[in-house]
Amino acid sequence: MGEKSKKPDQVVYNEKTEKYEAGLLPYATNSGAPKITPTDLTGWKNSNVSKVNHQIKTEYEELKSQYEKLMAQFEYNNLIYSAEFSFEPIVGQTYHLYNKKDGNIFLSIISPNECNFEFKGSFKLNEDKMWVRLDTKTNSKSLK
């Protein structure tokens, strides 16, 4: 045979290397070999997808909570720094935020039980010059 003849489908012949490779393959190649059926992984996938989704949702909820706390901290720091005060706050000292009758907000050292202004919250200045909220009774919405 001068011309290369086509081998039957059941014969495993590599035309590039010009060798028979049936014995080298990791699976049976003859027609009498057992049928290759893929394992049904649907249950495994569904179980693990559920676990992964739960884990991602949990992490998302944690990040969302941290973000909300950070935004609340940003809001009241922004509010305090834009408030009126005529003194230089000292790190570690407690200050109180009030709303005047004219709507202006001011920072004071006077405690809420010693004055008649609308109390917004108590804060302490930390080393990083960030205001830390001390009272948790009032939520961030009442600061506006």
Side-chain angles (χ1 to χ4, degrees):
M1 290 174 36
E3 230 178 274
K4 290 185 182 178
S5 62
K6 172 114 171 81
K7 307 288 183 202
D9 286 342
Q10 69 268 18
V11 176
V12 181
Y13 182 77
N14 187 335
E15 293 179 359
K16 291 180 183 175
T17 62
E18 296 183 357
K19 293 183 179 179
Y20 292 95
E21 296 182 344
L24 302 176
L25 296 175
Y27 51 87
T29 58
N30 63 24
S31 57
K35 180 180 175 185
I36 299 174
T37 56
T39 309
D40 184 18
L41 298 174
T42 307
W44 181 86
K45 286 181 181 180
N46 289 340
S47 166
N48 289 318
V49 164
S50 176
K51 288 177 186 176
V52 168
N53 286 345
H54 177 69
Q55 182 179 354
I56 290 171
K57 183 179 179 183
T58 303
E59 288 180 31
Y60 168 77
E61 293 297 330
E62 288 174 14
L63 285 173
K64 183 179 173 186
S65 174
Q66 289 175 355
Y67 171 78
E68 289 170 353
K69 287 177 186 175
L70 188 62
M71 286 310 296
Q73 187 177 14
F74 169 78
E75 286 176 15
Y76 63 69
N77 269 276
N78 193 31
L79 185 64
I80 293 170
Y81 275 113
S82 64
E84 298 174 12
F85 50 93
S86 56
F87 55 88
E88 184 176 335
I90 300 169
V91 172
Q93 188 72 27
T94 300
Y95 297 94
H96 309 282
L97 195 65
Y98 297 101
N99 196 8
K100 289 183 184 177
K101 291 180 180 162
D102 64 1
N104 290 336
I105 295 174
F106 69 99
L107 191 65
S108 175
I109 59 172
I110 301 171
S111 66
N113 57 356
E114 297 174 346
C115 70
N116 294 330
F117 293 105
E118 182 187 344
F119 177 65
K120 292 291 192 181
S122 295
F123 301 89
K124 208 177 249 191
L125 187 63
N126 71 12
E127 319 68 54
D128 298 329
K129 305 299 184 217
M130 284 185 75
W131 292 97
V132 178
R133 187 174 188 111
L134 299 178
D135 60 325
T136 55
K137 291 183 279 187
T138 2
N139 61 24
S140 61
K141 291 179 183 172
S142 68
L143 289 174
K144 295 180 180 175

